[in-house]
Amino acid sequence: MIRNATVADAPAIAAIYNEYVRHTIITFEEEPVFETEIASRIAATLSQGYPYLVFEEEAGNEKWIVGYAYASQFRARRAYRFTAETSVYLARTSTVMRRGVGAALYAKLIEECRSRGFHSVIGVVSLPNEASTRLHEKFGFVKCGHLSQSGFKFDKWVDVGMWELIL
């Protein structure tokens, strides 16, 4: 089930995100992020009018978050106010990956951005990342930029691609 995130979701979101921080180039953060910082980020995103969603699974009386997606400010200048940057993260387990959770979250996130009056959304992807590239292109995003060697993580240079979707 997809629902709006709350600051109470910070521990689960931090657990998912920090796996990417520790083991991948997908995020350029290099140190794990504390739950309190994630809670602050969720609160800031929501207070600025951007959507923040979680995908929650349930069995019996137990519920757990297996993925999340959010939109955020693309650039600080006022003229960018109708453009949002989008992000999607899933628990890195075989029971979650390749089940359509990411696509479901992204579809709902795009719908939320459209309903909130955004004109375009931008996906910023560390490369190589075939799964993210496929996800963006599945939803009609078009590659609009490539920044060569713009990040440095795990002792190597990392390229970044940008995909845009006009809503």
Side-chain angles (χ1 to χ4, degrees):
M1 167 183 97
I2 296 173
R3 64 169 175 78
N4 292 319
T6 70
V7 294
D9 297 320
I13 289 171
I16 292 169
Y17 184 64
N18 284 329
E19 282 296 305
Y20 289 91
V21 172
R22 288 184 193 99
H23 304 291
T24 77
I25 60 163
I26 290 172
T27 174
F28 281 179
E29 293 206 64
E30 296 180 297
E31 298 296 327
V33 181
F34 292 109
E35 294 172 8
T36 53
E37 173 60 21
I38 295 292
S40 293
R41 292 178 187 185
I42 294 168
T45 299
L46 295 173
S47 72
Q48 293 167 11
Y50 294 97
Y52 206 125
L53 308 169
V54 294
F55 193 106
E56 188 173 64
E57 294 196 331
E58 184 176 354
N61 293 333
E62 291 191 43
K63 294 180 181 180
W64 61 95
I65 292 171
V66 297
Y68 67 98
Y70 63 93
S72 59
Q73 183 180 49
F74 174 65
R75 295 284 183 265
R77 302 285 189 262
R78 182 159 164 71
Y80 289 112
R81 69 189 175 279
F82 296 109
T83 299
E85 184 174 332
T86 56
S87 297
V88 177
Y89 290 92
L90 304 178
R92 297 181 69 221
T93 65
S94 60
T95 58
V96 175
M97 305 300 270
R98 294 178 177 75
R99 280 193 9 221
V101 172
L105 276 165
Y106 222 27
K108 182 66 174 170
L109 184 66
I110 292 166
E111 176 187 315
E112 285 288 324
C113 286
R114 185 177 285 120
S115 73
R116 293 173 191 222
F118 289 99
H119 178 69
S120 63
V121 289
I122 307 290
V124 180
V125 180
S126 303
L127 300 172
N129 186 337
E130 287 301 316
S132 189
T133 298
R134 279 193 312 271
L135 180 66
H136 284 89
E137 292 176 354
K138 173 181 180 168
F139 284 98
F141 283 72
V142 175
K143 189 171 185 184
C144 61
H146 189 104
L147 307 171
S148 298
Q149 300 180 13
S150 57
F152 190 80
K153 188 172 179 182
F154 302 135
D155 296 320
K156 67 178 181 179
W157 291 105
V158 181
D159 290 4
V160 172
M162 298 177 79
W163 277 258
E164 69 178 347
L165 177 65
I166 304 300
L167 301 176

